[in-house]
Amino acid sequence: MNMEARVGVVVEGGQRALNSAHGAVVDAGARKFLQQQQQQQHEHSSKQGLNPQVGTVQQLLAGGIAGAFSKTCTAPLARLTILFQVQGMQSDVSALSKASIWREASRIINEEGFKAFWKGNLVTIAHRLPYTAVNFYAYERYKSFLQSTLCLENQRGKAGADLGVHFVGGGLAGMTAASATYPLDLVRTRLAAQRNSIYYRGIWHAFHTICREEGIFGLYKGLGATLLGVGPSIAISFSVYESLRSYWQLQRPDDSTIMVSLACGSLSGIASSTATFPIDLVRRRMQLEGAAGRARVYKTGLTGTFRHIIHSEGLRGLYRGILPEYYKVVPGVGIVFMTYETLKMLLSSIPTGY
């Protein structure tokens, strides 16, 4: 099995979603770094006659834990992003002009307590392993299907063919994983968006309440916006990363691979986040439609929601909460790098038959 493809799926892709559509800001940069690291390790180990592969289960476990740990560390910024994104649904328009990261963080500490920064984080952790596993499995299935359907078996190793399969397969796998685990993402948004008044008392209570009041399809509100953001997110992240890395290595060929990958991964994540943030904001608001028994705000679908936000809040309204999203990119990428590599070394010593 191709290690580059394997690690690319494990540490995740398409969800800048897919992570929320934005979890993949971190994941995209980490994926590129890990692909390069695995290629180098493979080449080094092959020269020495060693087996370079880490078992599939270990890779899934390391990738899932690294992603969960990274998201736990950056959870306060993630919750601030969500709170800012959904502020436009409030009737008090005057509160929008007074919003700031420091003021909102102070409000959380004073009114909800310090632990409230991690509201909904347990759902995020529960989301990681199933998302990673589905993404991993789906990628392998889509890759095999594309290679057989397009008769690419004899063209393996060619850059163009491999790139096309990786891009299309990764996008389809990301959409599949996002759809399969979407209810967890919606519940996470509902829990994180709660302020002083608590309507959903926990994960299972939220699932039960949403199904009872909104039906089973209530768990999939905003899924269309999520899937819409997958393609652009992967395309922008991949193209920006490759362009920056090529230029950097041309200008400074002696720089550390880790430093180059971290910098390019962070910048590509910022570029992807900037381009697809409006889609993510619309997704969050659609996820909260009818929540806690409140009346619906947006009743005209995805395009109608975009028009409503632009009309009532201006173009700036589509980027409400972008600053805390930016702030978590670099630490998030760095934490994934360090955690994944550490876990991979520990888990590689465990015997595996996979």
Side-chain angles (χ1 to χ4, degrees), residues 128-306:
R128 299 306 296 177
L129 282 177
Y131 178 87
T132 300
V134 173
N135 202 348
F136 174 87
Y137 180 81
Y139 177 83
E140 291 302 312
R141 300 285 76 75
Y142 285 127
K143 183 182 71 173
S144 299
F145 174 77
L146 289 169
Q147 288 174 338
S148 61
T149 303
L150 302 177
C151 301
L152 298 177
E153 288 90 344
N154 298 326
Q155 300 184 38
R156 290 183 182 180
K158 292 186 177 180
D162 288 344
L163 178 62
V165 170
H166 179 77
F167 183 82
V168 176
L172 291 173
M175 294 173 70
T176 302
S179 301
T181 59
Y182 190 79
L184 285 169
D185 186 57
L186 182 137
V187 167
R188 185 272 176 120
T189 299
R190 297 273 179 111
L191 292 174
Q194 294 185 128
R195 300 194 177 207
N196 296 334
S197 58
I198 302 298
Y199 191 79
Y200 304 110
R201 297 192 298 271
I203 300 175
W204 296 115
H205 181 259
F207 271 113
H208 177 73
T209 304
I210 293 170
C211 290
R212 187 183 69 243
E213 296 180 353
E214 305 169 50
I216 191 68
F217 291 108
L219 294 171
Y220 289 89
K221 288 181 176 178
L223 177 60
T226 296
L227 300 182
L228 183 64
V230 173
S233 175
I234 293 178
I236 294 168
S237 179
F238 185 86
S239 59
V240 171
Y241 180 90
E242 292 298 334
S243 299
L244 288 173
R245 186 174 64 86
S246 299
Y247 179 77
W248 191 318
Q249 291 180 336
L250 185 64
Q251 299 296 321
R252 303 174 63 92
D254 297 327
D255 283 352
S256 166
T257 302
I258 294 178
M259 183 181 71
V260 173
S261 297
L262 178 60
C264 295
S266 299
L267 290 172
S268 67
I270 290 173
S272 178
S273 181
T274 303
T276 60
F277 194 84
I279 297 176
D280 187 64
L281 182 139
V282 168
R283 178 178 71 94
R284 294 293 188 196
R285 295 198 182 185
M286 295 183 75
Q287 286 180 329
L288 290 176
E289 279 285 78
R294 291 190 295 265
R296 295 184 61 185
V297 179
Y298 312 108
K299 304 177 182 179
T300 51
L302 183 61
T303 56
T305 302
F306 269 107

Side-chain angles (χ1 to χ4, degrees), residues 39-167:
Q39 283 181 308
Q40 292 174 0
Q41 292 171 8
H42 180 86
E43 292 170 0
H44 176 74
S45 300
S46 296
K47 290 177 181 178
Q48 300 184 19
L50 300 176
N51 180 9
Q53 294 198 4
V54 178
T56 301
V57 173
Q58 284 92 333
Q59 290 231 21
L60 287 171
L61 189 60
I65 293 175
F69 183 65
S70 172
K71 290 182 182 300
T72 299
C73 292
T74 58
L77 290 169
R79 185 171 184 232
L80 285 170
T81 297
I82 292 175
L83 290 173
F84 281 124
Q85 284 179 321
V86 302
Q87 277 183 339
M89 300 180 75
Q90 299 173 354
S91 57
D92 186 7
V93 181
S94 61
L96 299 178
S97 59
K98 301 176 183 178
S100 72
I101 294 177
W102 175 249
R103 185 176 288 110
E104 184 63 20
S106 300
R107 183 202 66 77
I108 292 174
I109 294 173
N110 294 330
E111 297 181 7
E112 304 178 53
F114 188 73
K115 288 172 60 177
F117 280 115
W118 282 266
K119 272 187 180 178
N121 187 60
L122 185 60
V123 192
T124 302
I125 295 174
H127 174 271
R128 299 306 296 177
L129 282 177
Y131 178 87
T132 300
V134 173
N135 202 348
F136 174 87
Y137 180 81
Y139 177 83
E140 291 302 312
R141 300 285 76 75
Y142 285 127
K143 183 182 71 173
S144 299
F145 174 77
L146 289 169
Q147 288 174 338
S148 61
T149 303
L150 302 177
C151 301
L152 298 177
E153 288 90 344
N154 298 326
Q155 300 184 38
R156 290 183 182 180
K158 292 186 177 180
D162 288 344
L163 178 62
V165 170
H166 179 77
F167 183 82

